[in-house]
Amino acid sequence: MQRRGFLTAVASVGASLTAVGSVRGAGTEDEEPIDLGAGPYRTNEQLTRDLQALDASSERISLRELAQSTGRGDPIHEVQVGEGETNVHLITQIHGDEPVGTEAALLELRRLAHGNTEEIDRTLDALTLTVIPRVNPDGAMYATDTDDDSETERLSRRQNTQGWSSDASQYEPYYHATPDDGPPGYDLNRDFNIRTDFEGVPDGEGDWWSQLEREGEDEESSEAEWALNMPYENGTLSKSGLLLAPETSAVVDSFFRADPDYAITHHHQGLATLPESGSPPEPSVLSVMAAFGPAYEERAPYYDADAPVEEYANPFLSAETSERSLRLNTLVADALAETTGPWDAFDSVTRYGYSSLWGSYLDTLCPRTGAAGMLYEIAGQSDEVGSRGFGLKLEATRVGFKETWKALAADPDLSSVDAESYFEIPLKGEDLGETTENEAAGSEASAANGGGSGLGIGPGPVGTR
Ligand SMILES: [Zn+2]
C-alpha cells in the first residue's frame, strides 16, 4: 500500500519540479570557474603541510586522512581537538570555491592547539571538536596553470572532478555537472542520502526517479535532468543524493564516528543586502540558517499548510534538536552584533530562508545523531571582493566559530539563548548588484534568499548553499 502511494506521488513530483537549479556550469551554479589569483587561500599542499605541523606540535591535536579526492588524489583531512562530552562536527569548503571556512577553521585549530587561557581549557574539557577542513580539494585547486615561470593561475569551482557513468546510477543525477571545457563533477552538498544503509537503488524497488525539465534559453540547454527521490510515508523526499562521491562518503563516516550534538557547515554566497537598511542598502556580512522540524513548521519561510512537511522543513528533526539549532544560529548572529570594530558591518547578520534539501549535509545527517545544525553563508564569492573582503569574511567566520565553542563549553544546550529570537533575524535581502525590481515582494517566502535572483537559479528555496 505504501509503495503504491509513493509511486503516485513520484508522478506528480516530476510535474511540479520545473525550473530547478542547473549545475551545468563549472563554478558557482551556472558561472565560470573562479580565479582565486595568488590569493590568501592555502593550496592543498599548504593545507596538508600546516595540518601536519599542527599535529606534530601539539598533543591536543589528532589528524587523520579520511580519503583522497577523486581527481587529484589529495588528502581529505579530519582534525580532532578536545576531550569533552559535547561533540561538534564542522565541515568547510564542500564547495571548492568557498574557501574562507577552511582558513578560519585553521586559525581556530591553532588557537585551541597552542593557547593557554582559561577559556581554551574550558573548551577542551567540554567539547570534542571534529573538523574536516576542505571537503573538496579538487574543487579548491581546480585548473592550476603554471605554464608561465612567474605567474600561477589558480581557479576553483563548486564541484569535485568526477565523471558519471551509467554503471553508477540509472540516470545521471541533476547535481552532476558536465561543463564544456573541463572535467565533470558532482555538487557534493547534493550527494548525501538520508538512509544510512543506502547502497544505490535496489532492483525491483520501483522507479525512484523523476525527470526535471530545466528551462534553458535555447533548445540545446533545455535537456532533461533526473533526480532521485526517496519514499517517505505517503510522499517523497525529493532530489536525494546517491552517495556517489568518495568525498561525501568520507564526510558520512566522519560524522557517525564523531556522533555530533552540533553540526556546522560553512559556505559563501553572493553579496546580499540587509533589508530595510536604507539607501543605499547595507550589505549583510553573513546569513545563518538553522535546520528545523515540524515543531516550528509554521515559521518556515516556505510553509504550506497543504503540502507535506518534508517539502519545507525536516520531519526527522525533533523539537529539542530544532530548538538547539535555532539557538545556535541566534547565538552566532548575536555574537557578531556584539563584536565591536574594526568592522561595524558585523551587526548585519541575516537569515537564510530554510527549506529541506534532501541531498545536503544538514538535512540528511543531522537527524541521524540528533545534531543541531547550522549553515554559514558568508557574504561574497571569492571573485567578487578583494583582500579587504577576505579579511572581513575570515574575521566574521572566526568570531562565529570561537563564540560557538565558548558558549557550548559553558552551556551545552545553549539554554540561555532564546530560540524564538532566530525568527527575528531578518531574512536576507536582494543580491547587491541586482536591480531592485523585486523590492516590492511582500511575502516572507518571496523575500527569502533574495528570491533566488542573481544566484543563477530560478526562484526557490535552495540557492547556493
Ligand atoms: Zn556552498
Side-chain angles (χ1 to χ4, degrees):
M1 285 302 285
Q2 199 166 341
R3 172 68 35 74
R4 189 175 298 269
F6 165 67
L7 288 171
T8 304
V10 165
S12 65
V13 163
S16 63
L17 287 175
T18 55
V20 298
S22 164
V23 288
R24 288 283 151 187
T28 305
E29 294 296 343
D30 278 346
E31 293 158 21
E32 291 299 305
I34 290 169
D35 184 357
L36 290 177
Y41 308 106
R42 283 172 175 81
T43 63
N44 291 344
E45 254 180 61
Q46 288 169 326
L47 179 65
T48 296
R49 185 193 64 206
D50 290 349
L51 288 172
Q52 287 173 344
L54 191 65
D55 186 31
S57 67
S58 170
E59 292 195 340
R60 298 173 187 170
I61 294 286
S62 69
L63 175 67
R64 86 157 81 193
E65 185 178 313
L66 293 174
Q68 293 180 341
S69 66
T70 311
R72 298 169 54 92
D74 286 341
I76 299 163
H77 301 286
E78 179 195 84
V79 191
Q80 277 192 323
V81 64
E83 296 179 322
E85 287 187 0
T86 300
N87 298 324
V88 181
H89 197 252
L90 167 65
I91 66 166
T92 69
Q93 214 172 349
I94 191 168
H95 293 139
D97 54 352
E98 300 176 356
V100 154
T102 301
E103 301 298 324
L106 259 287
L107 287 177
E108 274 303 285
L109 287 169
R110 280 184 172 161
R111 190 179 67 90
L112 295 171
H114 294 302
N116 288 298
T117 65
E118 279 184 28
E119 182 204 319
I120 288 173
D121 290 345
R122 278 195 298 270
T123 296
L124 297 175
D125 287 345
L127 306 187
T128 301
L129 180 59
T130 303
V131 184
I132 306 179
R134 188 169 290 170
V135 171
N136 184 1
D138 286 347
M141 291 298 292
Y142 175 65
T144 301
D145 181 357
T146 54
D147 58 2
D148 185 290
D149 53 9
S150 61
E151 295 285 320
T152 299
E153 181 190 30
R154 178 178 169 197
L155 304 179
S156 68
R157 71 176 200 178
R158 181 179 179 91
Q159 298 88 1
N160 76 351
T161 54
Q162 181 180 355
W164 172 83
S165 84
S166 56
D167 294 337
S169 58
Q170 186 178 353
Y171 298 103
E172 180 181 5
Y174 77 100
Y175 60 92
H176 189 251
T178 50
D180 292 335
D181 53 354
Y186 288 102
D187 184 336
L188 301 176
N189 204 37
R190 306 289 184 274
D191 194 39
F192 295 91
N193 193 287
I194 189 79
R195 265 174 46 177
T196 48
D197 60 347
F198 185 74
E199 292 177 357
V201 180
D203 289 339
E205 290 276 342
D207 186 1
W208 290 9
W209 290 85
S210 65
Q211 190 170 344
L212 311 175
E213 293 299 335
R214 195 167 67 88
E215 290 177 3
E217 287 170 9
D218 50 49
E219 205 169 301
E220 197 176 319
S221 62
S222 295
E223 59 196 294
E225 294 185 327
W226 293 89
L228 179 74
N229 303 299
M230 300 293 295
Y232 168 66
E233 294 184 352
N234 293 319
T236 60
L237 307 176
S238 66
K239 297 197 280 184
S240 293
L242 287 101
L243 284 175
L244 294 174
E247 292 89 344
T248 316
S249 292
V251 172
V252 172
D253 292 345
S254 167
F255 190 92
F256 286 111
R257 266 200 318 276
D259 190 22
D261 304 293
Y262 292 89
I264 303 168
T265 174
H266 187 281
H267 295 256
H268 291 218
Q269 65 182 355
L271 294 175
T273 59
L274 179 64
E276 298 176 18
S277 57
S279 181
E282 187 184 335
S284 168
V285 67
L286 168 68
S287 297
V288 297
M289 189 189 84
F292 54 85
Y296 294 91
E297 64 178 16
E298 291 182 22
R299 316 299 295 274
Y302 301 93
Y303 174 67
D304 178 351
D306 298 327
V309 63
E310 62 269 20
E311 290 184 8
Y312 53 81
N314 191 320
F316 310 111
L317 289 172
S318 71
E320 187 274 337
T321 300
S322 302
E323 186 172 11
R324 282 187 297 116
S325 176
L326 300 174
R327 288 171 175 170
L328 173 60
N329 285 268
T330 304
L331 171 96
V332 169
D334 290 350
L336 279 176
E338 287 163 14
T339 300
T340 56
W343 294 297
D344 295 340
F346 283 9
D347 191 11
S348 63
V349 175
T350 52
R351 178 164 51 105
Y352 199 90
Y354 171 62
S355 181
S356 49
L357 174 56
W358 292 112
S360 71
Y361 169 85
L362 278 191
D363 280 309
T364 59
L365 293 183
C366 285
R368 311 306 310 200
T369 68
M374 173 170 183
L375 177 132
Y376 283 75
E377 287 276 4
I378 197 79
Q381 293 289 355
S382 300
D383 60 342
E384 287 177 342
V385 285
S387 56
R388 177 185 180 275
F390 170 73
L392 186 139
K393 285 186 285 191
L394 180 64
E395 181 65 359
T397 304
R398 188 193 68 81
V399 168
F401 288 171
K402 180 186 176 189
E403 295 301 320
T404 295
W405 324 145
K406 191 170 141 186
L408 288 176
D411 178 7
D413 295 324
L414 302 176
S415 52
S416 62
V417 182
D418 174 30
E420 285 290 325
S421 298
Y422 172 79
F423 297 105
E424 291 163 17
I425 302 170
L427 281 163
K428 71 169 262 201
E430 294 292 315
D431 288 0
L432 279 181
E434 293 294 305
T435 59
T436 54
E437 61 194 39
N438 295 327
E439 213 164 70
S443 74
E444 181 159 271
S446 65
N449 310 328
S453 62
L455 298 174
I457 63 166
V462 172
T464 56
R465 81 191 221 216

